[in-house]
Amino acid sequence: MSCTNTNDSFPCVLPFSQMYPLCCIDIRNFLNQIYLFSDDYFQKSSIIDETLRTALDDLLCQKVCQSLIDRLSSQYPGQIVQILTNLEHFETACVELQDLLFQARSSPSATGPIVLEATERFKLAKKQASDRIFELVNSKIDDLIETAEYDWMAIKPSNEPSEYMLELTRYLSNIMSSVLLALPTEIKEFIYFDALSHASSAILDLTLDEGVKRITPFAVAALAMDTRYLSDFVSSLNNPILMENLDELTQTVALMGTENSDEFFDVAQRNRKYGKVDNMKGAILLEKVAEGAQVAAQSPTKPTTTTERFGTLGSRFGIR
């Protein structure tokens, strides 16, 4: 059970690891011993203040912060999250330590605040840890999307979302409810925002692959089904900002399945319905869909009247 305020019952699970309180205890004992020694045996108060600041910076930067940075090579997002949590608490502790050193300053003539280099080092290390979480999460997303097995020349409909999409949404749900749970809300939402943006771009890149020459209407329908499934999942998170990440993907897929592709070449209509669609990408995909529709129309199964549907667009791109 986690503790969020002083009214929570004990025992409780604290977000930081054992390393954090043990280091704080050692630093407190070190400070007490230094001040006790200086009061009894040493009169050069300014030297004590500077020596103490330098020693603390060396300890925090080289022994504590660097040891956490060295562990960022881990392949486990959960471990990186724990490191990031520790770094955040150490950064806060450094700010408080600066105030304590200022108040306990030995030299009465010294002025100005006491600034520890370690405060900035921990802040920079937090950014490294966040980037590492992005890297690991996005790498897993890439692995899942690489397993997508779209039949771009499909001549029959799909009845359910693709397996990779089921796995992708399951993974995104799991990391939010478990791996990222201990992070502060703003960091957690930022990581999730980036993950969804990365997933959306990676899915769209599947259609733009140079190896995909044609896309039939049934393939578009399968992609649209997966896109709706992803959109419904993100909608269930009740965060409108996250939904914006899917705008380019959903609008592009809608364009690929439109009955009136001429709208895309009308500036006013394009801005209204397909404002997030890249002009070049949209044109490339419409050409692939037009060619796929012609091939599907020539299939013995004759699944749709796609020749009429894409005839005008096909002639625009020089397709016979």
Side-chain angles (χ1 to χ4, degrees):
M1 183 182 68
S2 62
C3 263
T4 57
N5 58 59
T6 55
N7 294 323
D8 285 333
S9 59
F10 291 89
C12 65
V13 178
L14 298 173
F16 44 77
S17 68
Q18 191 178 26
M19 172 190 186
Y20 173 71
L22 291 178
C23 285
C24 289
I25 292 171
D26 286 342
I27 290 174
R28 181 193 63 189
N29 293 337
F30 174 67
L31 289 175
N32 289 336
Q33 292 171 11
I34 286 289
Y35 285 128
L36 182 63
F37 169 79
S38 64
D39 289 344
D40 291 343
Y41 302 105
F42 208 79
Q43 302 303 316
K44 301 289 186 179
S45 56
S46 60
I47 297 178
I48 285 292
D49 291 336
E50 181 60 22
T51 301
L52 183 56
R53 185 195 64 78
T54 303
L56 286 173
D57 255 339
D58 182 67
L59 171 65
L60 291 168
C61 291
Q62 303 302 324
K63 303 301 182 182
V64 180
C65 188
Q66 190 59 48
S67 69
L68 291 171
I69 292 174
D70 291 342
R71 300 175 193 174
L72 292 179
S73 59
S74 170
Q75 298 296 316
Y76 301 100
Q79 186 173 355
I80 307 301
V81 167
Q82 183 62 75
I83 293 172
L84 177 55
T85 301
N86 286 351
L87 288 168
E88 183 170 33
H89 280 83
F90 274 117
E91 181 188 9
T92 301
C94 281
V95 174
E96 296 175 353
L97 183 58
Q98 289 174 165
D99 292 338
L100 186 152
L101 292 174
F102 176 79
Q103 295 169 11
R105 183 178 299 182
S106 301
S107 175
S109 61
T111 59
I114 292 180
V115 179
L116 294 172
E117 293 181 11
T119 307
E120 184 65 18
R121 284 288 297 273
F122 281 116
K123 181 179 179 180
L124 294 175
K126 280 171 51 183
K127 178 64 167 56
Q128 288 180 258
S130 295
D131 290 345
R132 180 58 175 159
I133 295 175
F134 291 149
E135 180 183 345
L136 291 174
V137 171
N138 290 343
S139 177
K140 178 63 176 180
I141 289 173
D142 287 339
D143 290 343
L144 291 171
I145 293 178
E146 284 178 3
T147 66
E149 296 181 345
Y150 286 114
D151 179 4
W152 300 113
M153 296 304 296
I155 56 173
K156 59 182 181 179
S158 298
N159 298 321
E160 57 186 18
S162 301
E163 184 64 29
Y164 91 90
M165 182 57 68
L166 299 177
E167 290 293 332
L168 176 62
T169 52
R170 188 178 299 119
Y171 171 71
L172 291 173
S173 178
N174 287 341
I175 63 170
M176 177 62 85
S177 61
S178 58
V179 177
L180 305 182
L181 189 60
L183 290 177
T185 301
E186 62 274 13
I187 298 179
K188 179 166 56 178
E189 290 184 348
F190 187 45
I191 292 174
Y192 217 59
F193 186 92
D194 182 83
L196 287 170
S197 179
H198 185 80
S200 177
S201 298
I203 293 170
L204 186 57
D205 286 345
L206 294 175
T207 64
L208 295 165
D209 189 281
E210 292 184 357
V212 179
K213 303 299 183 183
R214 303 176 182 84
I215 303 176
T216 68
F218 280 126
V220 173
L223 180 62
M225 180 185 298
D226 287 343
T227 302
R228 284 194 300 273
Y229 189 86
L230 179 60
S231 181
D232 289 344
F233 165 75
V234 176
S235 179
S236 70
L237 301 176
N238 297 316
N239 188 333
I241 295 179
L242 295 179
M243 286 296 296
E244 296 177 6
N245 280 327
L246 303 183
D247 285 348
E248 182 182 11
L249 176 62
T250 56
Q251 290 183 20
T252 301
V253 174
L255 173 65
M256 294 170 67
T258 185
E259 295 284 346
N260 186 10
S261 59
D262 286 338
E263 290 181 334
F264 184 68
F265 300 98
D266 180 278
V267 176
Q269 293 283 359
R270 181 172 69 234
N271 290 338
R272 183 175 64 86
K273 298 183 66 174
Y274 308 113
K276 296 293 185 178
V277 179
D278 180 89
N279 292 347
M280 182 63 69
K281 292 178 182 178
I284 291 173
L285 290 173
L286 284 175
E287 181 176 5
K288 290 184 178 185
V289 170
E291 293 191 13
Q294 286 192 339
V295 173
Q298 297 169 5
S299 170
T301 59
K302 303 273 187 186
T304 60
T305 57
T306 48
T307 301
E308 296 179 2
R309 176 180 170 188
F310 291 101
T312 303
L313 180 62
S315 62
R316 176 173 300 176
F317 287 106
I319 302 171
R320 298 290 183 262

